[in-house]
Amino acid sequence: LDMVSSWALIALAVAATAGQARARASTLTVQSDDRSAFLVEPFCFGQGGSMNIQISDFRMTRDGKRLTPSNVGLLIRKTEGPAYSVSSMMDVNEAGCMLNTKKPNDVIIPIAGPNTTYTHQIAANGKGLYSILYSNCNYGSKASFQIHYVLMNKDGIFISEGEVPLPLVYAGASLLFLFAFVYWVYMLRTSSSPIHKIQYLMGLLCFFKAASVGFEAFRYQSLKSFGDGYAWATLFHILTFVKGTMLFAVILLIGTGWSIMKPFLADREKRIILIVLPMQVLVNVAMVVVDETPPGTAGWMTWRDILHFFDVVCCCAILFPIVWSIKHLRDAAEADGKAKRILAKLKMFREFYVLVVCYIYFSRIIIYLVKATLPCELSWVASAISETASLIFYMLVGYKFRPDFDNPYLMVHNEDDESSVELQLQEELENPI
């Protein structure tokens, strides 16, 4: 439990520092917003990039009375250093009026009427990460407006400089996962050993992973070319939702030993599944909504951090069935020291536990740390590392639970002493204390 709480706190802190610079031809609508400052959008520009910002229907009120806009505007700030999101958050939360604390390279766009337009071309020495920040120094007032911004890199590329290689990265990952799926199906069809239900689910999970990453490649290619990947994004989010739910289900079922070690689930294992899977479904749906919402929306950062926290909680919760299985296998092995097969399964469960722990720690924490320390033009490296880690995890789990008579986790035995221990183990799992 201490480990669970530690991971949750670390992930919450890291999630707040790992914002992603996204591409955008986007529109943000603000209604009666009393925030003094917020981040509209970060974007990584290369040489020759451009930004076009249009503010329309700007209205400011205080206590229901309309005010003439003054001491309010946008601030374009180039962020130095790799931890760009930390700087942006510090800028938003800094004391005083941001418009009065202008830094040397800042550009202030004052809002003095209902409509404001700003266009800027990125010079050769100006490439890097830029943050569009909104600041209202009329404390106690509320503002309503619509801001449309087109952020573009050279040659009409509508995505950040660090995201340009992502279509190729995701396309390559999709092909590798598809090859893994085909090979797994081949193993299932040609294996002479018994095939368990969980192995079919593992193959289906690999297929959905390949499909979701493939649609992510199409989504980024559409964003890169047209600035709009809505159609591909819808398919991607649906497949990612199914894949994420199946991943948790497969890990939970393997951890309980379902269909391999026993054909049933104990009551407390059912409770964990009934709690974790619906929570993960809700988190996945909420993440889709947050991902498709501009960062400037009220409460965006808060909800992002909350969802990352619950995602880590779900990841830690799926470890409990594995721990319970390890405990019961250890107790069963101690009851009969000659039960070599029980000891082999115990070793496999411990290895699976370490594997899941490493994957959770790497995918939920290390990747965010890597992304927060990379320069914005190399942000694609974090995605490449993440997909590589996922592929390695899938391959290792597949290898450990492959259909093979020599697999110590799956092998059939005939020793009477081990049969009695297995029966005792099943009874303990079915009727836990």
Side-chain angles (χ1 to χ4, degrees):
L1 291 178
D2 291 339
M3 183 182 296
V4 172
S5 59
S6 299
W7 284 356
L9 290 174
I10 292 173
L12 180 60
V14 173
T17 66
Q20 181 181 7
R22 305 179 300 174
R24 302 317 165 228
S26 187
T27 300
L28 171 65
T29 301
V30 177
Q31 293 288 344
S32 300
D33 197 315
D34 60 355
R35 288 177 290 174
S36 60
F38 60 81
L39 174 66
V40 176
E41 188 80 58
F43 193 83
C44 186
F45 284 102
Q47 180 181 347
S50 64
M51 65 173 72
N52 185 285
I53 302 173
Q54 295 179 338
I55 298 175
S56 58
D57 300 326
F58 189 90
R59 301 184 308 277
M60 180 178 288
T61 61
R62 179 186 286 125
D63 298 329
K65 297 179 181 180
R66 188 158 182 169
L67 303 176
T68 301
S70 64
N71 211 19
V72 60
L74 297 179
L75 187 146
I76 311 298
R77 176 167 291 175
K78 183 182 178 183
T79 306
E80 302 294 340
Y84 57 85
S85 57
V86 178
S87 300
S88 297
M89 293 178 66
M90 290 176 64
D91 289 340
V92 170
N93 294 320
E94 67 184 8
C97 174
M98 292 178 60
L99 301 179
N100 298 331
T101 56
K102 182 176 180 293
K103 297 181 179 180
N105 295 323
D106 287 353
V107 175
I108 294 178
I109 309 171
I111 300 175
N115 301 309
T116 303
T117 301
Y118 174 78
T119 302
H120 179 69
Q121 194 80 17
I122 306 299
N125 60 348
K127 62 181 182 179
L129 185 96
Y130 288 76
S131 296
I132 304 175
L133 304 164
Y134 167 82
S135 179
N136 179 7
C137 300
N138 296 280
Y139 301 109
S141 65
K142 297 181 180 180
S144 299
F145 60 94
Q146 187 176 77
I147 176 171
H148 177 74
Y149 47 92
V150 178
L151 310 176
M152 184 186 303
N153 271 304
K154 189 178 180 180
D155 299 326
I157 296 176
F158 285 87
I159 58 177
S160 286
E161 183 77 4
E163 295 176 335
V164 173
L166 283 183
L168 288 177
V169 170
Y170 286 126
S174 179
L175 289 176
L176 290 174
F177 278 107
L178 185 61
F179 175 78
F181 166 72
V182 172
Y183 184 71
W184 184 258
V185 172
Y186 170 78
M187 288 181 61
L188 295 182
R189 290 180 61 87
T190 59
S191 175
S192 57
S193 62
I195 305 299
H196 300 272
K197 295 177 183 178
I198 191 66
Q199 291 168 332
Y200 290 113
L201 289 178
M202 291 167 67
L204 195 58
L205 169 63
C206 192
F207 171 78
F208 277 112
K209 175 63 178 178
S212 65
V213 178
F215 280 114
E216 179 76 328
F218 284 117
R219 182 171 82 104
Y220 269 99
Q221 184 60 41
S222 181
L223 281 171
K224 179 180 177 180
S225 303
F226 309 109
D228 181 13
Y230 178 77
W232 294 112
T234 302
L235 294 171
F236 163 72
H237 287 308
I238 291 173
L239 288 171
T240 301
F241 167 78
V242 175
K243 182 267 300 180
T245 305
M246 283 196 64
L247 175 62
F248 275 75
V250 167
I251 293 176
L252 281 167
L253 292 174
I254 291 177
T256 62
W258 175 78
S259 91
I260 296 178
M261 195 168 64
K262 56 191 177 68
F264 57 86
L265 293 173
D267 289 340
R268 63 177 175 182
E269 294 168 349
K270 292 178 182 178
R271 286 195 293 269
I272 284 288
I273 292 175
L274 291 176
I275 292 173
V276 172
L277 286 187
M279 183 184 297
Q280 185 63 24
V281 167
L282 291 176
V283 169
N284 285 341
V285 171
M287 280 184 170
V288 170
V289 175
V290 171
D291 186 60
E292 294 300 314
T293 303
T297 306
W300 186 86
M301 287 188 178
T302 301
W303 278 109
R304 183 196 62 178
D305 297 342
I306 290 174
L307 292 175
H308 277 297
F309 173 79
F310 278 104
D311 184 46
V312 174
V313 170
C314 290
C315 289
C316 296
I318 64 176
L319 297 175
F320 285 107
I322 308 176
V323 173
W324 293 336
S325 295
I326 290 175
K327 179 181 181 298
H328 284 297
L329 284 170
R330 185 174 61 246
D331 293 343
E334 290 174 354
D336 191 334
K338 298 179 181 180
K340 296 180 180 179
R341 182 168 172 266
I342 298 296
L343 292 173
K345 286 187 176 182
L346 175 60
K347 180 175 180 293
M348 290 289 292
F349 259 109
R350 284 173 174 168
E351 292 174 351
F352 180 61
Y353 173 81
V354 172
L355 188 61
V356 173
V357 168
C358 291
Y359 179 69
I360 292 173
Y361 185 79
F362 192 87
S363 62
R364 262 57 181 185
I365 297 176
I366 300 299
I367 290 299
Y368 287 113
L369 290 174
V370 171
K371 189 180 294 185
T373 55
L374 286 172
C376 71
E377 62 269 17
L378 295 178
S379 62
W380 64 272
V381 174
S383 298
I385 294 174
S386 177
E387 295 304 327
T388 302
S390 295
L391 181 62
I392 292 173
F393 175 73
Y394 279 55
M395 291 174 61
L396 290 175
V397 174
Y399 176 77
K400 287 186 177 298
F401 300 99
R402 66 195 183 281
D404 189 345
F405 278 113
D406 295 330
N407 190 333
Y409 189 83
L410 305 175
M411 67 174 60
V412 179
H413 62 94
N414 295 315
E415 299 179 18
D416 294 336
D417 58 338
E418 293 186 15
S419 297
S420 62
V421 174
E422 287 283 338
L423 181 60
Q424 176 187 353
L425 173 61
Q426 289 186 2
E427 292 175 351
E428 291 179 353
L429 287 172
E430 187 174 12
N431 301 296
I433 297 176

